[in-house]
Amino acid sequence: MPEMLGAGLILLLLFIIGYVGMKVKIPEVITFILLGITLGGLLSGSHLLHFIGEIGIVLLFFMLGMEFPIKQLAGVAKRVTPAGTLDVVLNLGISTGICLLLGIDPLMSFLIGGVLYATSSSITAKLLESSKRMANPESEFMLGLLIFEDLVAPVLVAILVGLTAGGALTVGGLSWLLVKVILLTVGAIVIGQVVFKRLDTWFDRHMNRDVFVLFIIGIALAYGGLALYLDLSEVLGAFLAGIMIAEVRKTHQLEQLILPIRDITLPLFFLYFGTTIEFGDGVPMVGTLLLLLVWSIIAKIIVGIYGGRWYGLSKRVALRAGLSLTQRGEFSIIIASLATASIMVFSSVLILASAMIGIILFQFAPKISKAIYGNKQPRGKIKVPG
């Protein structure tokens, strides 16, 4: 089959599946992965599909970084730090501990903990928008927590990329990884403050030229590629490149240049991920999977309840937030793609189950919280530990 015909058919299939998913309110991330699983025999091992999909992921996190100039980033992080720290402890730390207690090796335990850490930003944001809950009091807290996770998760991915490449979890190796992450981060901050902060008039003059998109996407791919060269994650590099560009304060205009390219390439990442999942020997460790699935839901609800109260939400609204945070998605998929074959299948089923249950809990969160706490609840804060 000619490659152009194949490419056209893939894009048409993605459109049809995405359109159907939109009608039945299933996130595109899930439908694209399921399509990849279905087409696995035809598309598995495609380097081109993998590479184009990676460009989509790079652009996704580049655009995320563009939302956060340095000062704003520091302010958001400070306000949600108590809830974000609890999130790391419960969903990354305790999940990793459960895996270790069940006999899984340390590296794969840490990787599964990473899979269970972050709530899906894309699924949650779309659900908030489609359910018209964006104006609700819990949405600010939820989005703040997602931002905190989006700051932690690229570093987590970078560490896991280094560890899976090296194959050993040592203090020296981890220290060297953290040094490289710090150098890459400091470099981005310095370039943003010294170079891009002074280029706002240059951007105004050239931003509407057709070739300008090449410059912007080139920055994203180059800094993401530099991270790969340092044995880190391209996700971290892309996010930091976005922070650099954010100093120009032209995020909205620049997003319009990048969005069409991201929206074509990003679905191919999820499609490719689906093609890598093989159920030849069935789903491994079903009991462990069910235990971790239940724990992952409970842990996010706890983060919502206590973190929401520390943030200043009422008990009812904090519970509603917790019930709306249980779905995992894009970051979990990126981390799962680093796993061995059996753990990848294990993690993939965990992600899909979490996403589907999370969507249901999100939709019923207002009714559940109302049934438990009633219609009205006085707003008040509880003391943050420490």
Side-chain angles (χ1 to χ4, degrees):
M1 180 187 295
E3 290 182 351
M4 189 169 294
L5 174 59
L9 291 175
I10 288 172
L11 292 178
L12 288 171
L13 271 175
L14 287 168
F15 165 74
I16 292 168
I17 292 296
Y19 183 80
V20 171
M22 178 183 67
K23 288 295 184 181
V24 297
K25 296 185 178 179
I26 298 175
E28 295 162 352
V29 172
I30 305 300
T31 57
F32 294 157
I33 293 172
L34 293 175
L35 178 62
I37 293 172
T38 305
L39 299 178
L42 298 174
L43 300 175
S44 61
S46 171
H47 174 73
L48 182 61
L49 181 63
H50 180 223
F51 179 70
I52 296 174
E54 290 225 314
I55 291 176
I57 281 291
V58 163
L59 295 181
L60 173 67
F61 288 99
F62 177 62
M63 291 180 66
L64 180 63
M66 283 169 55
E67 299 290 340
F68 305 111
I70 301 301
K71 289 183 180 178
Q72 181 184 343
L73 199 61
V76 169
K78 182 179 179 181
R79 192 169 179 201
V80 296
T81 292
T85 303
L86 180 64
D87 192 16
V88 172
V89 170
L90 294 183
N91 290 287
L92 176 59
I94 293 183
S95 298
T96 300
I98 291 172
C99 293
L100 288 170
L101 289 173
L102 293 173
I104 301 173
D105 73 80
L107 180 55
M108 288 300 107
S109 294
F110 187 38
L111 189 143
I112 293 171
V115 167
L116 293 177
Y117 167 56
T119 295
S120 170
S121 298
S122 61
I123 294 175
T124 305
K126 287 179 181 179
L127 288 172
L128 280 171
E129 185 179 6
S130 63
S131 63
K132 296 181 170 54
R133 284 172 54 187
M134 196 64 82
N136 286 10
E138 74 272 17
S139 64
E140 181 182 289
F141 163 69
M142 290 172 61
L143 292 173
L145 185 62
L146 291 177
I147 290 168
F148 186 95
E149 290 182 345
D150 289 341
L151 297 177
V152 173
V155 179
L156 177 62
V157 172
I159 292 170
L160 282 165
V161 166
L163 293 175
T164 52
L169 186 61
T170 64
V171 174
L174 184 57
S175 300
W176 176 232
L177 277 170
L178 290 175
V179 168
K180 289 191 287 185
V181 168
I182 291 169
L183 289 174
L184 196 69
T185 303
V186 170
I189 293 172
V190 170
I191 294 171
Q193 293 288 312
V194 174
V195 179
F196 285 104
K197 202 167 187 177
R198 302 177 181 179
L199 291 179
D200 53 335
T201 54
W202 185 82
F203 270 67
D204 283 332
R205 197 160 54 244
H206 298 288
M207 202 160 40
N208 293 325
R209 299 180 185 273
D210 292 341
V211 296
F212 198 76
V213 67
L214 301 176
F215 171 70
I216 294 299
I217 292 179
I219 292 290
L221 298 183
Y223 216 73
L226 176 61
L228 282 176
Y229 183 75
L230 295 173
D231 293 323
L232 301 173
S233 167
E234 69 274 28
V235 167
L236 176 63
F239 183 81
L240 293 172
I243 291 174
M244 290 192 298
I245 296 292
E247 294 302 318
V248 183
R249 311 284 175 159
K250 310 287 182 189
T251 296
H252 178 70
Q253 298 96 311
L254 294 173
E255 282 179 343
Q256 304 311 307
L257 297 176
I258 303 167
L259 266 173
I261 300 171
R262 190 208 68 179
D263 288 346
I264 290 175
T265 55
L266 184 59
L268 296 175
F269 172 82
F270 300 116
L271 177 70
Y272 177 80
F273 178 78
T275 67
T276 64
I277 301 171
E278 297 179 0
F279 294 101
D281 297 324
V283 180
M285 303 181 293
V286 175
T288 301
L289 189 151
L290 292 174
L291 174 63
L292 288 172
L293 178 61
V294 171
W295 164 247
S296 71
I297 293 169
I298 292 172
K300 284 293 182 183
I301 293 173
I302 292 172
V303 170
I305 291 172
Y306 285 94
R309 294 289 285 148
W310 295 336
Y311 197 80
L313 303 178
S314 69
K315 291 180 180 179
R316 178 171 64 87
V317 175
L319 174 61
R320 193 164 70 207
L323 291 167
S324 304
L325 288 168
T326 64
Q327 55 278 354
R328 272 60 167 188
E330 57 277 5
F331 259 125
S332 301
I333 292 165
I334 294 168
I335 292 172
S337 66
L338 304 173
T340 58
S342 62
I343 298 297
M344 185 185 292
V345 172
F346 176 91
S347 300
S348 303
V349 174
L350 195 54
I351 295 165
L352 290 171
S354 168
M356 298 307 296
I357 293 171
I359 293 166
I360 294 169
L361 284 175
F362 187 101
Q363 292 169 340
F364 284 96
K367 291 182 179 179
I368 295 172
S369 58
K370 184 178 178 180
I372 293 174
Y373 288 111
N375 197 34
K376 291 186 178 180
Q377 183 72 26
R379 181 183 176 91
K381 295 184 179 181
I382 63 174
K383 188 177 179 180
V384 179

